[in-house]
């Protein structure tokens, strides 16, 4: 399998830069790791509460896209290395790539179900459907389409 190097770089750049707002790393809080006193611990927001927080959903979509961009670049390299190895190595690499694409698609679709904002819901749903349609085949990745999808999400999130 061959994907032109320029396409990989472009796709990675699109995924990394597509949703740039609100992507500060989230450090686990003391409450999350159980080290805070019980009086200071608060309940995590419910899905219903989060659904009204478009900014939080957009920030999570940004983090998820950034993480996928890094994972995609790593997966591509894994596929290149595995192509020079055994059939078993190729199969394992393809299995990982397929699983990573499915995880990304699931995350996008899950966020789309959670989002109350219709534009964000539609943008995430569209992105998730496009990733699902890849069915693990990274040769079907079209950087132009991904850029368009990210632009729709950025616009829906008030960043474009």
């Amino acid at each position: 399998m061959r994907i032109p190097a320029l396409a990989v770089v472009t796709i990675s750049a699109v995924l990394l830069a597509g949703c740039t707002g609100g992507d500060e790393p989230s450090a686990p809080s003391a409450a999350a790791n159980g080290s805070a006193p019980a009086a200071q611990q608060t309940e995590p927001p419910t899905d219903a509460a989060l659904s009204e927080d478009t900014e939080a959903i957009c920030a999570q979509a940004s983090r998820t896209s950034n993480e996928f961009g890094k994972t995609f670049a790593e997966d591509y390299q894994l596929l290149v290395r595995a192509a020079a190895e055994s059939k078993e190595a190729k199969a394992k690499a393809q299995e990982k790539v397929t699983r990573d694409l499915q995880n990304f698609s699931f995350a996008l679709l899950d966020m789309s179900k959670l989002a109350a904002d219709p534009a964000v819901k539609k943008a995430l749903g569209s992105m998730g459907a496009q990733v699902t349609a890849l069915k693990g085949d990274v040769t079907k990745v079209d950087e132009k389409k991904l850029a368009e999808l990210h632009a729709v999400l950025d616009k829906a999130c008030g960043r474009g």
Side-chain angles (χ1 to χ4, degrees):
M1 174 183 75
R2 300 198 59 192
I3 298 177
L6 180 58
V8 172
V9 171
T10 303
I11 292 165
S12 296
V14 166
L15 291 171
L16 290 172
C19 297
T20 56
D23 48 350
E24 296 98 27
S26 59
S29 68
N33 66 22
S35 63
Q40 292 179 354
Q41 291 185 358
T42 59
E43 289 293 317
T46 63
D47 285 352
L50 186 58
S51 72
E52 298 299 323
D53 192 348
T54 300
E55 186 177 320
I57 291 174
C58 287
Q60 182 61 39
S62 177
R63 285 188 297 273
T64 301
S65 293
N66 288 339
E67 289 170 15
F68 178 72
K70 293 172 190 172
T71 299
F72 177 81
E74 292 167 3
D75 284 352
Y76 176 75
Q77 292 302 316
L78 177 66
L79 287 170
V80 169
R81 287 190 306 271
E85 296 177 15
S86 68
K87 279 186 174 183
E88 184 179 327
K90 289 179 200 176
K92 284 183 179 182
Q94 184 58 52
E95 187 177 304
K96 181 182 182 317
V97 169
T98 299
R99 185 177 56 248
D100 289 342
L101 283 167
Q102 288 170 340
N103 289 342
F104 183 49
S105 173
F106 176 79
L108 292 169
L109 293 171
D110 194 45
M111 284 184 279
S112 77
K113 292 174 190 170
L114 188 59
D117 182 286
V120 173
K121 180 183 284 293
K122 183 178 178 180
L124 289 167
S126 177
M127 289 176 70
Q130 291 294 322
V131 175
T132 298
L134 296 174
K135 297 183 182 181
D137 186 354
V138 293
T139 63
K140 293 179 181 177
V141 174
D142 180 325
E143 64 273 5
K144 181 180 177 186
K145 185 64 175 171
L146 285 175
E148 290 169 2
L149 292 173
H150 282 289
V152 168
L153 181 61
D154 282 346
K155 182 177 179 183
C157 290
R159 295 188 291 253

